[in-house]
Amino acid sequence: MDAFHLARLGDPARRVGSSVEYHAQIGSTNDRARERLNAGDDGVVVVADLQTAGRGRRGRSWQSPPGLNLMLSIGLRLDLPADAAWQLGASAALAVRQACAPYADLQVKWPNDLVTHDGAKVGGLLLETALAEDRLVQAIIGVGINVNWRRAEMPAEIAHRATSLRELAGAEIDRTALLGRLLDELNAELLGLERGESPLARLRAASWLDGRPVRVTAEQNDVEGVVAGIGEDGALMIETKRGRRAVSYGEVVAVALPA
């Protein structure tokens, strides 16, 4: 990846990808995308080969060696109902899934991880949003995809539960071409949201957790049971011993897989 070829992916007429800014190394693409957004640069995509302070969900760091994967963030001005925030995350996850489709058939692990059919993580998203009264007015969408990272070279603590597009496709992936596909898909998803189109049906069709016994950490409490689908508001529905629970915010910390 280089600045010249990436810059050519930018299009001022696009909602997502009005321009593309490349860094060989940066602290956090999310932080830089926010800087650009606050300066009035809506839809700018910030791409980095190495992040020294990359963030995952719940305060974790995002691990990725330089030059192998795809790490980017987009800053967006929005005017959506506040209760559509989950739809933005779902739409972004579906966009990543579709962009990766030529290389792997991935599913969405609630809330917005991309996994193989056996649950190995290939990518994930970090959304940082801002509300004004009852409107969603700003979002930073951070995306990380394991592209050409060999499983044998991953740290031992993640290698057993992660993989990459290269491992799945059996060949090296052109990261610039993948980014171009991703921007197309993200742009289409956002335009759909702004037209009032819900991603719910497609999210349900792509959901990996349905029917699986899970443990979810939700608001400092654990919820255990079997996943019964995704609710109308994007919540994870779990059948517990005490009845059905809807989990709107949380993290799946354990999944019982078939032996």
Side-chain angles (χ1 to χ4, degrees):
M1 299 176 78
D2 62 73
F4 173 74
H5 289 98
L6 290 181
R8 295 177 66 184
L9 295 177
D11 181 350
R14 297 170 63 106
R15 222 26 211 94
V16 177
S18 55
S19 68
V20 178
E21 177 182 297
Y22 169 73
H23 297 265
Q25 179 175 314
I26 197 172
S28 163
T29 57
N30 265 34
D31 290 346
R32 177 58 180 162
R34 182 178 292 102
E35 290 176 4
R36 292 293 304 267
L37 186 61
N38 290 340
D41 298 326
D42 187 16
V44 172
V45 178
V46 179
V47 184
D49 260 335
L50 177 65
Q51 289 189 95
T52 58
R55 297 190 297 278
R57 288 196 305 274
R58 302 173 73 87
R60 296 189 184 94
S61 62
W62 178 269
Q63 300 183 58
S64 178
L68 294 178
N69 299 324
L70 190 57
M71 295 173 292
L72 64 134
S73 299
I74 308 105
L76 294 167
R77 298 285 180 198
L78 303 165
D79 184 16
L80 296 170
D83 58 8
W86 72 266
Q87 295 185 16
L88 181 63
S91 294
L94 290 166
V96 175
R97 179 177 187 254
Q98 191 62 29
C100 295
Y103 318 110
D105 181 17
L106 303 178
Q107 293 179 281
V108 180
K109 178 184 174 184
W110 184 93
N112 47 28
D113 279 344
L114 283 302
V115 299
T116 63
H117 286 262
D118 61 0
K121 184 173 177 177
V122 175
L125 291 91
L126 174 66
L127 271 73
E128 299 174 334
T129 58
L131 303 175
E133 297 181 352
D134 60 347
R135 308 298 291 179
L136 174 62
V137 296
Q138 177 178 306
I140 309 297
I141 304 174
V143 180
I145 305 173
N146 294 335
V147 183
N148 290 317
W149 200 2
R150 295 179 184 274
R151 205 167 192 174
E153 297 171 353
M154 295 179 181
E157 62 268 24
I158 67 170
H160 68 287
R161 53 185 171 85
T163 189
S164 70
L165 294 179
R166 176 175 180 158
E167 293 282 335
L168 298 169
E172 185 167 328
I173 308 300
D174 184 329
R175 292 183 298 150
T176 302
L178 175 60
L179 176 59
R181 287 181 54 86
L182 178 57
L183 297 186
D184 286 343
E185 297 296 339
L186 285 168
N187 194 65
E189 289 285 351
L190 181 58
L191 292 177
L193 273 185
E194 293 180 330
R195 290 192 298 265
E197 300 168 7
S198 172
L200 180 59
R202 292 179 294 118
L203 178 63
R204 285 172 168 168
S207 177
W208 180 73
L209 286 172
D210 288 11
R212 298 183 188 274
V214 299
R215 177 164 54 89
V216 180
T217 296
E219 298 176 351
Q220 299 181 341
N221 295 309
D222 283 357
V223 179
E224 295 189 24
V226 177
V227 174
I230 296 174
E232 293 292 323
D233 61 353
L236 190 68
M237 309 304 294
I238 303 176
E239 292 288 356
T240 75
K241 293 179 179 179
R242 297 184 177 181
R244 182 168 292 194
R245 288 278 305 275
V247 178
S248 298
Y249 302 97
E251 180 179 13
V252 178
V253 293
V255 182
L257 298 175

